[in-house]
Amino acid sequence: MNHWDSLSAQQKTHADRKITALFDDPARATDFAVQVGDMYFDYSKTNIDVTTRNTLLALARDADVERQRDAMFAGAHINETEDRAVLHTALRNLDGGPVMDEGADVMPDVLDTLAAMRSYARDVRNGAFTDVINIGIGGSDLGPAMAVQALAPYHDGPRCHFVSNVDGADIADTLQGLDAKTTLVIVASKTFTTTETMTNARTARAWMIDHGGDPKQQFAALSTAEDKTEEFGINPLHVFGFESWVGGRYSVWGPIGLSLMIAIGPKAFDAFLRGAQDMDTHFRVADLHENMPVLLALVGIWHNQICDYATRAVLPYDERLNLLPSYLQQLEMESNGKGVQRSGADSPRHTGPVVWGAAGTNGQHAFYQLIHQGTRVVPCEFLLAATGHEAELPHHHQLLVANCLAQSKALMQGRTFKEAREIAASKGFTDTELDRQARHRVFPGNRPSTTLLYRLLDPFTLGQIIALYEHRVFVEGVILDIISFDQWGVELGKELATSLAPVIDGSKDASNEDPSTAALVDFVLRHRA
Ligand code: F6P
């Protein structure tokens, strides 16, 4: 029997087994957990036992995870459909050991660009800028936006704003109240062709000129397409380039992270890179059975491909990681939301899950009802710091911790009908009404979750967390035998939007559109102001 079949058989055999029963093994809590420095990943509250873990590890070994990991770090062109290396890890290779792409060491350029970013960031931080607007979308927005929010306690530079949506509301609301003479606009776009970003960049430039600012001095660009930044008129001294081997959703470590560097300063940005580098080293050297990204990936494979749980919730009990679920949505869904394997053959199984979530405790008062009592099982991934930044509010953090730990416990334990009946009886219900009321108070339990604990959300830790998830996505992609580093699935919509634009502005009629689209266009044209 192959490993996939064996895992499915194990899942069927143990489908009704209680996770709580697995704790008859007194060592389970620590055996099903792994620590890297100050970071602790607990996966004991899942229905994975020793046999299943061994089979999952065998699946990873047979998929050649170790060899493919080494190939990625060595610059092999594992992004096969674009014939590109995948070397975002070079951007945090602060010790500068050689990293080769097509026979050339990429590190001298990486370190030169990093030095230029540091010097520019220092100038901006020491200069007259009060505000910085990062204009970008997808990977050119979510990484820095998420990280700037996550590291707010370290923010001692100008205010940072992020504009991504082509909806004019985004840029209009952001520009409101800003001083065009003291605002720096950073246009972040790997390709420098993305419609949303270029439209917003042109609007920002017109605003700056209209309000007495000077785009020559107050615009910077982050891109692989330096010819296009020049064409746009950006001062070459303010252009920070990178190479095509950095995927958009993996790009926060280099120039795309400039707004973060300006916000927290080059030193703290270095700590952020060091955290990621630390996770890279762990990923490269730790044996698979104690390798945190590998174990996180195997839990993902178990829940998504074997147990057929279609989604997973990312639940940071850390308000400043509010954007982490959105960030991971792009990282995971754009990377592993594919339908074909590397050979081009249809994938024989589901690929990446739907990733969603929100910060706790807010989610508890919104969607946890379904997580606890709904008919679908949603594996939950909790994240929690042992220490909060608000030393003056220790009771807030204590409550936050209590809530996070209570949720994973409640999901696992549930509440039986007997227990629910006792509660309903204590409320005064009797006879058939007692049973009916009790049924509504039952929690099925046995719902899996993992918890990632860390000491404090500082730059180093954030770097570790992001790199951990990047490598998790990589390992899942290898096991699923898909190409995690292209994103052809975003192209068709972009092409159709381009061809629809003249229909919407009225310069072309809708006769070639399908009847539904034509009717929608007709409504818009008749109802717009
Ligand atoms: O949505 C597709 C995508 O290409 C993402 O992968 C990327 O992060 C985003 O668009 C922005 O692209 P660019 O940085 O080239 O503007």
Side-chain angles (χ1 to χ4, degrees), residues 137-140 188-192 194 197 248-249 330 334 487 490 494:
I137 197 163
S140 300
S189 175
K190 180 175 168 176
T191 54
F192 231 68
T194 305
T197 300
R249 53 197 176 273
Q330 186 197 16
E334 199 163 80
Q487 57 283 320
V490 302
K494 284 187 195 172

Side-chain angles (χ1 to χ4, degrees), residues 297-480:
L298 294 179
V299 172
I301 294 281
W302 171 252
H303 286 150
N304 183 23
Q305 278 72 32
I306 307 298
C307 301
D308 205 21
Y309 304 144
T311 84
R312 62 175 164 237
V314 179
L315 306 168
Y317 276 67
D318 204 318
E319 175 60 21
R320 296 192 180 100
L321 286 180
N322 211 359
L323 289 177
L324 185 70
S326 305
Y327 175 80
L328 292 181
Q329 253 170 10
Q330 186 197 16
L331 183 66
E332 303 208 20
M333 294 171 76
E334 199 163 80
S335 297
N336 287 347
K338 310 287 165 62
V340 296
Q341 296 191 304
R342 280 192 302 171
S343 66
D346 287 343
S347 172
R349 53 190 60 86
H350 286 304
T351 59
V354 176
V355 178
W356 62 285
T361 59
N362 298 24
Q364 290 176 205
H365 300 273
F367 52 79
Y368 278 41
Q369 165 65 40
L370 183 151
I371 288 180
H372 283 289
Q373 286 190 316
T375 52
R376 293 173 199 280
V377 174
V378 179
C380 293
E381 302 189 350
F382 296 100
L383 292 98
L384 175 70
T387 306
H389 281 282
E390 288 61 42
E392 70 291 4
L393 300 170
H395 57 296
H396 281 255
H397 197 72
Q398 285 157 13
L399 284 172
L400 187 71
V401 173
N403 271 278
C404 181
L405 302 188
Q407 289 301 325
S408 62
K409 196 173 154 147
L411 286 165
M412 176 172 72
Q413 286 185 347
R415 175 181 283 155
T416 62
F417 179 67
K418 188 165 168 281
E419 291 163 343
R421 212 167 177 275
E422 277 161 21
I423 292 168
S426 74
K427 307 265 179 233
F429 294 110
T430 55
D431 304 325
T432 50
E433 185 58 7
L434 172 58
D435 283 356
R436 191 173 78 91
Q437 291 286 343
R439 292 277 299 142
H440 289 276
R441 289 163 172 77
V442 169
F443 288 67
N446 221 25
R447 302 205 160 185
S449 69
T450 60
T451 303
L452 183 72
L453 295 178
Y454 42 90
R455 194 180 60 81
L456 175 77
L457 188 63
D458 59 15
F460 185 90
T461 304
L462 184 68
Q464 283 181 307
I465 293 174
I466 303 174
L468 167 66
Y469 277 96
E470 285 179 350
H471 295 321
R472 183 250 194 118
V473 168
F474 170 80
V475 173
E476 289 193 1
V478 170
I479 292 174
L480 296 169

Side-chain angles (χ1 to χ4, degrees), residues 3 6-14 17 22 28 32 43 46-60 295 298-299 301-303 306-307:
H3 299 313
S6 167
L7 287 165
S8 295
Q10 291 171 41
Q11 193 276 329
K12 280 193 189 76
T13 307
H14 298 303
R17 177 178 59 191
L22 291 169
R28 180 172 174 89
F32 283 73
Y43 61 104
T46 64
N47 212 333
I48 296 174
D49 61 16
V50 172
T51 309
T52 297
R53 180 172 61 189
N54 287 340
T55 316
L56 287 164
L57 286 164
L59 181 73
L295 292 168
L298 294 179
V299 172
I301 294 281
W302 171 252
H303 286 150
I306 307 298
C307 301

